[in-house]
Amino acid sequence: MASRAFDLDRHPARDGAALRTVIEDAAMGRWEGARELLSSTGADWDRRIFRLQVLARGGVRLTFADTWAQAEPRSPHALALLANVLALRSMAGGRGRGLNEAMQEAWSTCDAAAEALPSDPSPYLVMLALTRFHSPPRDREWRATLEQVWKRLIECDPWNREAHHELLTYLFPSWHGTGGEVFHWAQEQCVHAPRGLPLHMLLGLLRRRREAVPPPPRLGDEGGRALGAGPRSPALTHRTAPCVRRTHDGRPHDEGSTSMP
């Protein structure tokens, strides 16, 4: 039998017809469709996060998310989307550099989004990604911040798939953890997770990633810093972690494949 060639649909919205339409509208500067789509998603947090991430990847080079947040500054949907967009923009300068103005803007927007809709885990997911990406290598203070954010997130959605993938990535040896640590954490999560959840694929995912991930890169002089000796971690406000308050010394804080870099 002759082989048939299939054209794979690589559109980031996948089979989401409504999301595809919103992306097309966003390219023309219209944000009303995004508002309706995210509002209709309700408390389906996995779907909400997927839609936010897809829209954010388009919004990095567009202005519709910024315009929407300016028009509706108290909208939890506008703020959640803008937080994702600002986080991606903050990552353009490279990883492991500590606090910077772009990161601080994204972090503050996450705070505002969390205040606008306290039950939404998506702002905390963005905070996890910001902490992972911008933290100096294996810095204790930044890890303490990550742990505070993690506690807040699982209060909203204990078995959120994307959040578990994000923390798993943080613990990879190529980021801020060790091989033994990441396996122990993944095993613990799988033991406690209810049957049937995608989290039970964590160990398989981990084994595949462990084979594919290269050795940890050297990040200039930061690679030789002692634990806890790097730049200050982002401060969490009273809304995200009341027991953690820090100053900045005047300095500004996979549905798989759509997650942060």
Side-chain angles (χ1 to χ4, degrees):
M1 178 182 291
S3 62
R4 293 181 58 188
F6 293 93
D7 292 329
L8 296 178
D9 186 353
R10 300 184 182 277
H11 195 285
R14 301 178 185 175
D15 60 350
L19 181 55
R20 288 181 182 235
T21 300
V22 170
I23 292 173
E24 294 171 0
D25 287 346
M28 293 181 281
R30 297 197 291 262
W31 49 264
E32 293 82 0
R35 177 179 61 187
E36 294 176 8
L37 182 70
L38 293 174
S39 298
S40 67
T41 307
D44 185 344
W45 302 126
D46 281 338
R47 186 180 300 274
R48 176 180 176 83
I49 288 169
F50 173 68
R51 289 174 169 178
L52 284 169
Q53 291 175 339
V54 171
L55 290 171
R57 288 195 175 275
V60 169
R61 295 178 178 82
L62 301 174
T63 61
F64 77 96
D66 308 77
T67 304
W68 179 17
Q70 291 170 3
E72 298 184 346
R74 294 182 178 83
S75 166
H77 312 302
L79 290 169
L81 176 58
L82 184 61
N84 278 266
V85 170
L86 293 175
L88 289 175
R89 290 174 182 167
S90 78
M91 296 174 184
R95 65 186 248 188
R97 300 185 180 186
L99 286 174
N100 57 74
E101 186 176 356
M103 180 192 172
Q104 182 63 54
E105 184 181 8
W107 193 273
S108 298
T109 306
C110 290
D111 265 334
E115 182 179 32
L117 186 59
S119 60
D120 182 8
S122 69
Y124 302 115
L125 174 62
V126 177
M127 286 178 165
L128 290 180
L130 286 167
T131 305
R132 169 180 57 80
F133 191 88
H134 292 289
S135 171
R138 297 171 177 81
D139 186 280
R140 288 195 183 109
E141 188 178 6
W142 283 68
R143 177 173 284 226
T145 297
L146 178 116
E147 290 171 356
Q148 292 293 328
V149 174
W150 175 255
K151 290 177 183 177
R152 295 290 175 160
L153 191 152
I154 61 176
E155 287 175 2
C156 298
D157 190 8
W159 303 112
N160 184 275
R161 176 178 57 187
E162 194 71 19
H164 281 75
H165 287 177
E166 182 60 51
L167 196 60
L168 185 72
T169 303
Y170 177 93
L171 293 173
F172 282 144
S174 56
W175 285 93
H176 306 288
T178 65
E181 180 183 31
V182 70
F183 267 105
H184 174 77
W185 184 84
Q187 289 173 332
E188 183 178 8
Q189 298 304 308
C190 290
V191 165
H192 296 290
R195 295 181 62 182
L197 291 184
L199 293 178
H200 289 284
M201 298 179 64
L202 276 176
L203 287 176
L205 172 66
L206 179 57
R207 292 189 182 99
R208 290 194 298 272
R209 287 292 297 269
R210 192 182 192 187
E211 295 172 356
V213 170
R218 294 183 63 84
L219 299 177
D221 292 337
E222 291 173 348
R225 293 184 190 270
L227 285 174
R232 289 185 180 273
S233 65
L236 300 181
T237 69
H238 68 283
R239 294 186 297 277
T240 50
C243 59
V244 180
R245 296 170 184 262
R246 303 186 181 98
T247 61
H248 300 293
D249 299 330
R251 288 179 294 175
H253 161 333
D254 308 75
E255 285 195 45
S257 61
T258 59
S259 58
M260 296 286 177

